[in-house]
Amino acid sequence: MSLRLCCRPSISGFKNKRDLLGLELAAYQSSNPMGKWLSGVKKFIPFEGYVKSVKTAARISFPKISSDCKDKESSNFLSHKKMVPYSDPPSMEDVESLYEFFDRSTKLVVLTGAGMSTESGIPDYRSPNGAYSTGFKPITHQEFLRSIKARRRYWARSYAGWRRFTAAQPSTGHIALSSLEKAGHISFMITQNVDRLHHRAGSNPLELHGTVYTVACTNCGFSLPRDLFQDQVKAHNPKWAEAIESLDYDSRSDKSFGMKQRPDGDIEIDEKFWEEDFYIPECQSCQGVLKPDVVFFGDNVPKSRADAAMEAAKGCDAFLVLGSSLMTMSAFRLIKAAREAGAATAIINIGATRADDIVPLKISARVGEILPRLLNVGSLSIPAP
């Protein structure tokens, strides 16, 4: 898919951004079916000073996303389960406010959360339709380490859910964010998500809570790719794996062998599918316990990772949260630190967040609906190569 940006006229005759943005808004209104309605919306807030440069028309080529049956299945699953909470489309005022936030920043840090991934069909925990709403309790770090039964349950569910989890595609929000990053409008990105959808969209964020795409030993630190671990599980449990893979998971029903999709890629399945004779591969280096390289509930973010995120938060001039309720301290402390260091702060999220009382700009909208619109506005337009 390609997104064609509007061609802006020569700067000659325009003294400041107010004139130029006013012309762009008029052009948008005249070409948009809702133009008459938009003509009554508040115009851009004026900026002082002169425009330093002019951007020419550009074409953004988004990465191609496969349209095979897996992708359609993921789309149908998202639509039916209504994973993304309802929100009115972002208004022109919302877009203008977010534009100003970006435009005034020279060192912007972005933190993303589960609200990014729900738009790709991956459930979250805390939204009205999230996993917590059904009484689900995720496994804790302590439970995983002390109980072989808990590890069997986790890895059986995770193996069963892996195929669906990896079928998810980056959303328009992921892609727009990557475009803004590559154009130099974002200095540093941090994500709470473990699904690597940002990477598939072209970004390379600091993964605050790790990733399910890597499996690591809790004893010696040896790690291996998740796909290789999946192969090992299948090799050790061939009949079990064949039985799981032969079961047809209906995306419109949670009754298919009693399973429900979960936020971290695992699936809730009946005990009969994992309790007996399920073998978990051991670390090939020290025979230790293997777990996904993810910060489970009850565990701490590795110090080096936490320090890198905090350094970015304290050193930025603007901090933007996208799709996170900030209920975990590892995330909340970052925006709090940025605020205390004097940075501008803003949140785009559907529903309440832990930082609502300290952040001056809060927009209730889907990230995938507001960020693409930002690519058409003023100095955020992506320059031609």
Side-chain angles (χ1 to χ4, degrees), residues 16-290:
N16 53 43
K17 290 186 180 181
R18 175 208 283 258
D19 297 329
L20 187 59
L21 291 175
L23 184 66
E24 287 180 337
L25 180 58
Y28 178 79
Q29 292 168 351
S30 63
S31 62
N32 193 293
M34 296 291 287
K36 293 183 179 179
W37 177 82
L38 289 172
S39 64
V41 178
K42 184 181 72 172
K43 294 184 178 179
F44 285 97
I45 297 174
F47 293 79
E48 296 299 327
Y50 292 83
V51 177
K52 296 180 179 179
S53 61
V54 183
K55 303 291 193 303
T56 57
R59 180 179 295 276
I60 305 172
S61 296
F62 286 168
K64 292 183 179 180
I65 296 178
S66 172
S67 58
D68 61 20
C69 60
K70 288 184 179 179
D71 303 337
K72 293 177 181 178
E73 181 182 358
S74 179
S75 176
N76 290 339
F77 185 73
L78 171 61
S79 175
H80 178 75
K81 297 303 294 180
K82 298 180 180 178
M83 293 177 190
V84 186
Y86 174 79
S87 176
D88 289 329
S91 66
M92 280 294 295
E93 184 176 0
D94 290 333
V95 177
E96 292 165 17
S97 297
L98 187 58
Y99 166 76
E100 291 174 26
F101 184 83
F102 267 84
D103 192 58
R104 292 171 179 170
S105 167
T106 59
K107 198 172 183 181
L108 172 65
V109 170
V110 171
L111 170 69
T112 69
M116 294 284 302
S117 297
T118 54
E119 296 183 29
S120 294
I122 295 176
D124 66 353
Y125 285 112
R126 293 182 170 88
S127 73
N129 299 317
Y132 284 162
S133 67
T134 63
F136 172 74
K137 294 182 179 180
I139 192 170
T140 66
H141 180 74
Q142 294 76 14
E143 182 185 7
F144 185 91
L145 292 182
R146 71 170 176 254
S147 169
I148 179 63
K149 182 176 181 179
R151 292 197 293 276
R152 282 177 176 164
R153 181 176 69 245
Y154 176 85
W155 279 123
R157 299 187 321 183
S158 192
Y159 180 93
W162 186 244
R163 184 171 53 183
R164 284 199 52 78
F165 188 76
T166 55
Q169 297 289 340
S171 69
T172 54
H174 290 104
I175 296 169
L177 200 59
S178 176
S179 297
L180 288 165
E181 183 184 27
K182 290 175 181 176
H185 299 303
I186 297 172
S187 298
F188 195 75
M189 192 186 305
I190 306 166
T191 186
Q192 297 175 261
N193 300 332
V194 299
D195 50 44
R196 294 249 158 121
L197 289 174
H198 281 301
H199 296 74
R200 293 170 64 184
S203 297
N204 187 30
L206 172 69
E207 295 173 303
L208 191 63
H209 295 158
T211 177
V212 291
Y213 277 81
T214 302
V215 176
C217 177
T218 58
N219 181 49
C220 71
F222 172 82
S223 64
L224 70 158
R226 176 60 183 270
D227 285 338
L228 179 57
F229 181 80
Q230 289 285 112
D231 291 341
Q232 291 179 1
V233 171
K234 185 173 183 177
H236 284 294
N237 307 278
K239 292 183 179 179
W240 178 89
E242 182 181 359
I244 287 292
E245 292 171 3
S246 68
L247 292 169
D248 182 21
Y249 176 52
D250 182 357
S251 64
R252 295 165 297 178
S253 171
D254 286 332
K255 297 181 180 179
S256 308
F257 66 90
M259 70 182 190
K260 296 180 180 180
Q261 186 80 32
R262 296 304 183 193
D264 294 332
D266 57 330
I267 280 180
E268 185 70 21
I269 61 176
D270 191 282
E271 290 187 11
K272 67 182 179 182
F273 287 99
W274 58 263
E275 190 170 19
E276 295 182 6
D277 301 324
F278 180 74
Y279 178 82
I280 307 171
E282 298 175 335
C283 172
Q284 65 186 54
S285 178
C286 73
Q287 287 71 56
V289 172
L290 294 175

Side-chain angles (χ1 to χ4, degrees), residues 268-329:
E268 185 70 21
I269 61 176
D270 191 282
E271 290 187 11
K272 67 182 179 182
F273 287 99
W274 58 263
E275 190 170 19
E276 295 182 6
D277 301 324
F278 180 74
Y279 178 82
I280 307 171
E282 298 175 335
C283 172
Q284 65 186 54
S285 178
C286 73
Q287 287 71 56
V289 172
L290 294 175
K291 69 179 285 290
D293 191 17
V294 169
V295 179
F296 281 172
F297 288 84
D299 195 9
N300 297 314
V301 174
K303 186 177 185 304
S304 60
R305 204 182 300 164
D307 288 347
M310 182 57 71
E311 182 180 355
K314 289 182 176 180
C316 69
D317 67 358
F319 193 97
L320 174 64
V321 175
L322 300 174
S324 174
S325 64
L326 300 171
M327 291 302 175
T328 62
M329 181 54 71

